[in-house]
Amino acid sequence: TLARLNPDSSVYNVPVAFRLRGELDLLALDRALTALARRHAALRASFPADPDGSPHLVIAEPAPVVAPLTDCRWLAAEHEQPAAEQEVLRITEQEARLPFDLATGPLWRASVIREEDRNHLLVMAFHHIVFDGLSRTLLLGELGALYAEAVTGTAADLPPAPPYTAVLRRQSAIDAKSAGPDLDYWRERFAQPAQPLVLPADHDRPPGPGRARSVRVSLPEHLGIRVEQFCRGSGTTPAIPVPTAGVVK
């Protein structure tokens, strides 16, 4: 539903980038990415809508995966290093922010940036519906093994991947069991429509969905330790006290 309301949003994109040093066999990398998608049905998933608007899961047949190459070696020759790095960063962010179409898929992509002959950046992006933080370690290990298999011809020693539908059923059962009391509470809490909360703001609310921005804050080591201790004692995260301290100062 959220995707249909704001189809151009990339807020649920999960970008992943790996620095690859040394000789890179692009054809072997494509074969490794293809094998990765063949192993994991989640990477072949899409969620088209039924006539009533409800999404359903579709798993596509395995197909070749090709990571397009952007050759940026000319940047180092024509620009100072900071300017070249900024251009590579711009390309990387642009790739990471391209939206996905949940109805058609695929819900991931990969591309390669060549900065030097033996220095590449593998840029990948996934929709959060098929990829999360825990997937990163699995991805790195399996992709490395499958790339070695594509280069050497020696079969990768990987365990069978669990069927995606089985994973979904198991997670749904866990969520339903653990969320029972919470669902009862919120059903009662929102039995009556909630009144809008009007807060003072320094800017007018935008007419459509907005996108949050981030601000980097560096804390002295001793202050960072005190914030961490405070969060442990109060059962919260730094996302609560740090912005609050910026307002109440």
Side-chain angles (χ1 to χ4, degrees):
T1 300
L2 292 176
R4 291 199 295 272
L5 289 174
N6 193 11
D8 296 328
S9 173
S10 60
V11 68
Y12 289 106
N13 286 18
V14 182
V16 179
F18 300 117
R19 175 70 61 187
L20 306 176
R21 301 192 184 277
E23 294 293 336
L24 177 63
D25 186 332
L26 291 173
L27 293 178
L29 178 61
D30 288 345
R31 292 196 295 271
L33 292 169
T34 299
L36 188 71
R38 185 185 305 114
R39 276 179 54 79
H40 295 283
L43 300 182
R44 295 180 276 116
S46 60
F47 298 85
D50 291 328
D52 65 355
S54 301
H56 66 275
L57 172 65
V58 174
I59 302 297
E61 292 296 322
V65 177
V66 176
L69 172 68
T70 301
D71 196 335
C72 291
R73 288 176 294 183
W74 62 273
L75 289 171
E78 298 184 8
H79 299 278
E80 297 292 332
Q81 183 176 358
E85 291 176 350
Q86 284 298 316
E87 179 63 14
V88 170
L89 179 61
R90 184 193 67 80
I91 297 172
T92 302
E93 291 182 345
Q94 183 181 41
E95 180 69 16
R97 291 177 179 172
L98 288 174
F100 292 100
D101 188 340
L102 287 174
T104 61
L107 302 180
W108 72 295
R109 55 179 171 263
S111 61
V112 177
I113 299 175
R114 176 176 287 159
E115 298 182 77
E116 300 172 353
D117 290 343
R118 296 170 57 86
N119 187 9
H120 298 78
L121 194 63
L122 174 60
V123 181
M124 309 180 74
F126 302 81
H127 194 284
H128 190 42
I129 200 170
V130 298
F131 191 88
D132 58 16
L134 296 177
S135 306
R136 181 185 174 94
T137 302
L138 178 67
L139 168 72
L140 180 59
E142 291 198 0
L143 185 57
L146 293 170
Y147 177 76
E149 174 182 298
V151 171
T152 65
T154 302
D157 184 17
L158 294 174
Y164 184 46
T165 52
V167 174
L168 291 178
R169 285 195 296 268
R170 182 170 66 249
Q171 187 61 48
S172 296
I174 294 174
D175 291 345
K177 181 177 180 180
S178 61
D182 293 335
L183 288 176
D184 293 340
Y185 169 82
W186 288 112
R187 286 193 181 102
E188 180 180 353
R189 178 69 176 78
F190 291 115
Q192 300 296 327
Q195 297 299 314
L197 179 63
V198 180
L199 298 175
D202 54 354
H203 295 284
D204 292 335
R205 178 180 290 275
R211 184 180 179 87
R213 297 293 185 265
S214 61
V215 177
R216 293 185 178 275
V217 178
S218 297
L219 299 177
E221 183 178 0
H222 72 280
L223 185 56
I225 293 175
R226 291 183 61 187
V227 169
E228 184 177 344
Q229 292 172 341
F230 172 81
C231 292
R232 288 178 178 174
S234 59
T236 184
T237 70
I240 302 299
V242 172
T244 303
V247 175
V248 187
K249 64 179 180 179

